[in-house]
């Protein structure tokens, strides 16, 4: 039986990097704010890559910091290794990046577990608690109507096997919000004990660390190394021989990809002249044996994945902890939003992050910050901030 549980000025749906910044911004501007999430254990989850920053992204983290957001501080406090990319080029493209603990600090102060099934004004959790809000921010990431694909296997899911937001997807459609399908993916996580590190190129952090944050109350330091290896001709042959088993090429996945995150099969098909593709091997944290294989996103079947992984130097005897997968999800056309990230046709409803069709934690956090600021200003009867 449904029951009325309370009222918030701003409600944020989703506690990823967009939701964290949105909730913090609205609360810091004086609004009574709640962040709703399917699982409070996965606030600030990093299912795509245990790193913050990089080319076209690192500067966003600095801008978030300048505007009072939290991502830069979280990245600096949780870094494992820090590097400045593109130092061989001009300063305009120098890009700071940090490999971080995969589970960043839990930053959302007021978090409710459950799925909101009505996005505007009234929100109902899975336990039928009804909340009302004057402004709602949708920061659903890849959870909205999420479906995972691994070869012939597909099932409704959010990232890392978490529950998808299916009720909310239906509610948006009933409200009249037009959605579309996007897809992205993530590589395997493998057991470090099964990797021959002696065959890999060691990648050290920079001696002089460049901070993301201007918070000088602590000193970031490098705590681990990363590694580099490459795919080869045998890797390519196995992938090409099994393309028909990829849902990406077999027609099962309808969604298009955002700007980043091409799968290894996509790279091999699109760039047939390439003899090899670079793979970065990164620790997922200081207290786990999981390694992340950046550059090997795939939706191929599990047996094919294991076969091509073992053609890569250093991975000949690799054991997979988490299989790579593609995920398809609902998002909106960003032209349906003002620059304030408020919907043009639904006053008081805002969108942020991958819900808007973007990609990457940094873009999500930047949009979450803007959406949180403007939701608070909306409630307070003030002009939007752009």
């Amino acid at each position: 039986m449904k029951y009325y549980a309370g009222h918030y000025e701003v409600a944020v749906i989703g506690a990823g990097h967009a939701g964290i910044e949105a909730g913090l911004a609205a609360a810091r501007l004086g609004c009574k704010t709640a962040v709703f999430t399917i699982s409070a254990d996965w606030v600030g989850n990093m299912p795509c890559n245990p790193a913050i920053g990089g080319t076209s992204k690192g500067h966003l983290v600095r801008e978030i910091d300048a505007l009072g957001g939290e991502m830069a501080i979280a990245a600096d406090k949780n870094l494992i290794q820090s590097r400045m990319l593109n130092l061989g080029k001009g300063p305009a493209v120098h890009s700071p990046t940090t490999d971080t603990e995969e589970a960043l600090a839990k930053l959302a102060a007021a978090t409710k577990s459950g799925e909101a099934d009505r996005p505007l004004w009234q929100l109902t959790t899975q336990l039928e608690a009804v909340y009302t809000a004057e402004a709602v921010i949708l920061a659903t990431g890849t959870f909205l109507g999420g479906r995972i694909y691994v070869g012939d296997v597909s099932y409704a899911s959010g990232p890392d096997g978490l529950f998808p937001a299916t009720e909310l997807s239906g509610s948006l459609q009933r409200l009249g919000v037009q959605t579309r399908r996007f897809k992205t993916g993530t590589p395997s996580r493998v057991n470090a004990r099964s990797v021959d590190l002696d065959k890999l190129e060691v990648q050290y952090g920079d001696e002089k660390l460049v901070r993301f944050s201007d918070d000088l109350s602590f000193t970031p330091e490098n705590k681990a190394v990363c590694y580099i290896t490459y795919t080869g001709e045998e890797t390519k042959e196995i992938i090409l021989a099994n393309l028909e088993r990829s849902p990406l090429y077999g027609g099962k996945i309808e969604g298009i990809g955002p700007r980043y995150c091409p799968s290894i099969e996509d790279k091999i098909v699109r760039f047939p002249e390439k003899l090899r593709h670079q793979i970065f091997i990164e620790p997922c944290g200081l207290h786990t044996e999981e390694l992340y294989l950046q550059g090997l996103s795939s939706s191929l079947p599990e047996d094919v994945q294991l076969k091509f992984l073992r053609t890569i130097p250093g991975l000949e005897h690799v054991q997979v902890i988490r299989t790579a997968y593609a995920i398809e999800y609902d998002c909106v056309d960003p032209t349906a939003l003002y620059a304030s990230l408020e919907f043009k046709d639904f006053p008081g409803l805002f969108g942020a992050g991958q819900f808007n069709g973007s990609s990457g934690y940094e873009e999500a956090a930047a949009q979450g910050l803007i959406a949180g600021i403007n939701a608070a200003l909306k409630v307070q009867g003030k002009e939007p901030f752009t």
Side-chain angles (χ1 to χ4, degrees):
M1 181 181 295
K2 293 182 180 180
Y3 69 97
Y4 181 69
H7 176 78
Y8 290 94
E9 290 175 295
V10 176
V12 181
I13 303 177
H17 299 276
I20 287 170
E21 298 291 355
L24 285 170
R28 287 168 173 171
L29 285 170
C31 289
K32 185 180 179 183
T33 304
V35 176
F36 292 79
T37 176
I38 284 178
S39 173
D41 293 329
W42 290 97
V43 174
N45 187 28
M46 303 177 76
C48 295
N49 188 354
I52 298 293
T55 303
S56 82
K57 298 180 178 184
H59 69 285
L60 287 175
V61 185
R62 294 303 308 271
E63 292 177 12
I64 291 166
D65 191 59
L67 285 170
E70 203 70 17
M71 173 172 268
I73 296 172
D76 284 348
K77 284 186 174 179
N78 291 277
L79 78 81
I80 293 174
Q81 185 189 93
S82 175
R83 286 176 292 114
M84 183 68 77
L85 306 181
N86 303 328
L87 286 176
K89 301 178 182 179
V93 293
H94 291 179
S95 304
T97 182
T98 60
D99 293 295
T100 62
E101 291 278 6
E102 236 185 339
L104 283 178
K106 302 295 188 283
L107 299 172
T111 305
K112 306 288 183 183
S113 295
E115 178 186 337
D117 67 3
R118 293 184 182 178
L120 191 58
W121 299 306
Q122 180 174 300
L123 305 98
T124 306
T125 70
Q126 288 171 319
L127 299 180
E128 298 194 322
V130 177
Y131 296 87
T132 54
E134 295 165 48
V136 173
I137 302 169
L138 295 169
T140 49
T142 60
F143 282 87
L144 194 63
R147 175 165 287 272
I148 279 180
Y149 292 85
V150 182
D152 296 328
V153 177
S154 72
Y155 51 92
S157 177
D160 286 346
L162 295 172
F163 294 113
T166 51
E167 292 296 326
L168 179 56
S169 187
S171 295
L172 284 169
Q173 292 174 14
R174 290 190 294 274
L175 184 66
V177 175
Q178 297 297 312
T179 61
R180 55 184 179 172
R181 295 293 274 178
F182 263 22
K183 67 91 186 170
T184 188
T186 192
S188 303
R189 265 70 163 180
V190 302
N191 192 330
R193 295 173 182 171
S194 67
V195 176
D196 188 346
L197 300 178
D198 292 335
K199 292 185 177 181
L200 307 178
E201 177 185 334
V202 180
Q203 186 177 52
Y204 296 98
D206 294 342
E207 288 187 19
K208 183 179 179 181
L209 272 64
V210 176
R211 297 170 180 264
F212 278 123
S213 169
D214 286 329
D215 186 344
L216 303 179
S217 63
F218 61 94
T219 303
E221 59 182 70
N222 290 312
K223 300 171 185 173
V225 297
C226 297
Y227 302 90
I228 296 174
T229 188
Y230 297 88
T231 65
E233 191 60 35
E234 190 180 358
T235 321
K236 180 178 179 179
E237 289 173 2
I238 291 171
I239 290 172
L240 290 176
N242 288 277
L243 269 184
E244 76 282 355
R245 298 184 65 191
S246 167
L248 198 61
Y249 289 92
K252 292 183 179 179
I253 294 179
E254 300 173 0
I256 60 173
R259 288 183 297 152
Y260 312 121
C261 312
S263 66
I264 186 62
E265 52 263 37
D266 201 26
K267 287 190 282 189
I268 283 175
V269 169
R270 291 170 61 189
F271 306 103
E273 75 283 0
K274 292 281 187 181
L275 299 178
R276 65 180 192 173
H277 292 273
Q278 192 175 54
I279 308 301
F280 294 95
I281 301 182
E282 308 166 354
C284 291
L286 297 175
H287 308 291
T288 175
E289 293 295 330
E290 282 188 277
L291 295 177
Y292 175 87
L293 307 180
Q294 183 182 344
L296 280 176
S297 172
S298 179
S299 63
L300 285 163
E302 190 172 37
D303 62 304
V304 178
Q305 289 187 34
L306 189 59
K307 192 174 181 181
F308 77 66
L309 283 175
R310 289 180 173 172
T311 67
I312 298 171
L315 305 182
E316 293 89 346
H317 306 288
V318 74
Q319 296 292 331
V320 174
I321 295 175
R322 300 192 227 187
T323 302
Y325 60 84
I327 186 167
E328 199 174 36
Y329 55 97
D330 291 339
C331 59
V332 299
D333 182 342
T335 61
L337 312 175
Y338 293 114
S340 64
L341 300 186
E342 183 179 20
F343 273 80
K344 295 174 181 177
D345 295 335
F346 303 97
L349 183 64
F350 296 77
Q354 285 182 278
F355 175 76
N356 292 347
S358 68
S359 175
Y361 312 134
E362 302 81 5
E363 289 179 50
Q367 291 186 25
L369 180 70
I370 295 299
I373 290 170
N374 282 307
L377 295 177
K378 178 83 174 182
V379 168
Q380 295 164 355
K382 298 177 181 177
E383 290 297 310
F385 170 80
T386 58

